[in-house]
Amino acid sequence: MAWPQPPEQARIRYLRSVSGPEDWGITRSLLRRLADALSGASAETFRRPAAVAERAGVLYVADPAAPALWILDAPRDRYERVTQVGPQLLRSPVALALGSDGAVFVADTALQAVFLLDRDGALVRSFAIQGLDRPAGLAWDATAQQLYVLDSLRNRIAVFSAEGKLLRYLGEAGNGDGQFNHPTHLALDPNGVLLVTDALNFRVQLIDRNGRFLGKFGKAGNGGGDFAAPKGVATDADGHCFVVDALFDAVQIFDRQGTLLLGFGEHGTGPGQFSLPSGIFISADDKVYVADAYNQRVQLFLGAIATAKEQTR
């Protein structure tokens, strides 16, 4: 499957779907298979994936319905279903950000906290336990060694040092430039620009590391380029902005000026179809991962978005 349809040149191609460890090429050990056979349990699968990230063959999935963080480690042919961090049981893990050296940040809205876990799912450090009401989005700035935590209920972004010290806040409640109304998702592009899904203002805002407003696009509506329930946001290597819309069951792709380039997806259960999708992640090799929440899977696509118009600029 590809978008747009022929005879247009394909820009997005469907690759496959992942509903659990076996779909990621991970074999169940003999002991695990025996235990499952004795208990009557089937192979483990995602319940309601909300966020996804991938690095070097390791797939991370935040699953608030499990509730768990899945770490599918294909290079080591193993996986972890992390349900507890330190002394705390996960209650609603909804957001992820890749850290350094195989580590991953996980935001749990019910615990009002963010955790840094290593590649095996062990707790390294608790983050952002001060002054957060609903941590819903994460972005790690490896250059500045800072963690950005989007607090949906407080309509702002909290910025923390690598050691967990609160440095500053960005944004406030409102509908003006640099203001938010229940923002839900966050991404950081290679140039250090933060993209914020400003959900109830029905737009995506672009701000710099210090909160300075850079731009915005989107409005409420049901036409191309409009938003109904904007969720996950991500950028590819060329700066194109991908925005998931849960009510449209689709992903829309924009350039930095907010011009709609392409949309893909529709409601359904088949390949390339979605049911209330949520998070999105784009890898360095332009693979697009979409958390297809109510289809209980992650779908993978290959993107090559530059349009003919862009190529001739």
Side-chain angles (χ1 to χ4, degrees):
M1 297 186 66
W3 296 264
Q5 296 295 308
E8 297 288 334
Q9 180 181 348
R11 306 296 178 181
I12 294 288
R13 295 184 183 276
Y14 170 81
L15 297 178
R16 58 179 169 136
S17 296
V18 179
S19 296
E22 292 187 25
D23 292 336
W24 197 243
I26 295 172
T27 57
R28 288 188 294 165
S29 68
L30 177 60
L31 288 177
R32 188 184 293 269
R33 292 198 303 271
L34 286 173
D36 289 346
L38 290 172
S39 65
S42 59
E44 290 192 285
T45 57
F46 305 147
R47 296 282 301 280
R48 183 164 49 86
V52 59
E54 186 273 341
R55 176 172 49 200
V58 183
L59 186 71
Y60 304 87
V61 178
D63 189 345
L69 167 69
W70 298 83
I71 304 177
L72 310 188
D73 195 332
R76 296 193 292 179
D77 194 25
R78 57 182 291 185
Y79 73 93
E80 299 291 340
R81 182 175 175 271
V82 181
T83 60
Q84 183 169 340
V85 288
Q88 293 182 292
L89 292 172
L90 290 174
R91 292 174 56 194
S92 184
V94 298
L96 299 173
L98 296 177
S100 305
D101 301 322
V104 62
F105 297 94
V106 184
D108 190 302
T109 54
L111 295 177
Q112 300 177 315
V114 177
F115 305 100
L116 177 63
L117 308 181
D118 67 15
R119 183 170 173 173
D120 297 317
L123 178 64
V124 176
R125 183 177 298 116
S126 295
F127 270 74
I129 57 175
Q130 47 188 314
L132 286 175
D133 284 337
R134 190 177 296 165
L138 296 173
W140 168 248
D141 188 340
T143 301
Q145 291 288 291
Q146 293 178 351
L147 178 67
Y148 298 87
V149 182
L150 182 66
D151 191 329
S152 181
L153 202 57
R154 295 200 176 198
N155 297 296
R156 66 188 184 188
I157 299 169
V159 186
F160 293 84
S161 70
E163 293 75 32
K165 179 183 178 181
L166 178 63
L167 301 176
R168 60 189 181 277
Y169 293 112
L170 309 177
E172 61 184 5
N175 57 16
D177 294 343
Q179 297 179 326
F180 307 117
N181 186 358
H182 287 81
T184 61
H185 291 75
L186 184 65
L188 182 71
D189 80 359
N191 297 317
V193 175
L194 287 163
L195 295 93
V196 185
T197 302
D198 189 8
L200 293 188
N201 282 326
F202 301 96
R203 64 188 180 183
V204 170
Q205 290 201 68
L206 285 68
I207 61 175
D208 68 13
R209 289 182 172 100
N210 296 311
R212 184 170 63 93
F213 173 78
L214 300 176
K216 62 186 176 184
F217 60 88
K219 62 180 177 65
N222 58 10
D226 295 339
F227 294 133
K231 295 289 187 180
V233 60
T235 61
D236 65 11
D238 296 316
H240 303 106
C241 182
F242 292 59
V243 185
V244 174
D245 197 296
L247 288 186
F248 290 159
D249 288 314
V251 179
Q252 298 188 92
I253 307 168
F254 302 83
D255 66 16
R256 279 309 176 87
Q257 289 71 48
T259 301
L260 178 65
L261 302 177
L262 179 66
F264 67 95
E266 62 184 8
H267 180 73
T269 60
Q273 297 178 325
F274 302 110
S275 181
L276 292 178
S278 180
I280 188 170
F281 174 83
I282 302 177
S283 63
D285 57 354
D286 279 335
K287 287 189 174 67
V288 181
Y289 298 74
V290 180
D292 188 9
Y294 280 80
N295 281 327
Q296 299 178 301
R297 64 188 179 185
V298 171
Q299 293 199 64
L300 277 68
F301 304 85
L302 182 63
I305 306 305
T307 64
K309 181 178 179 181
E310 290 181 310
Q311 290 171 346
T312 57
R313 284 177 182 171

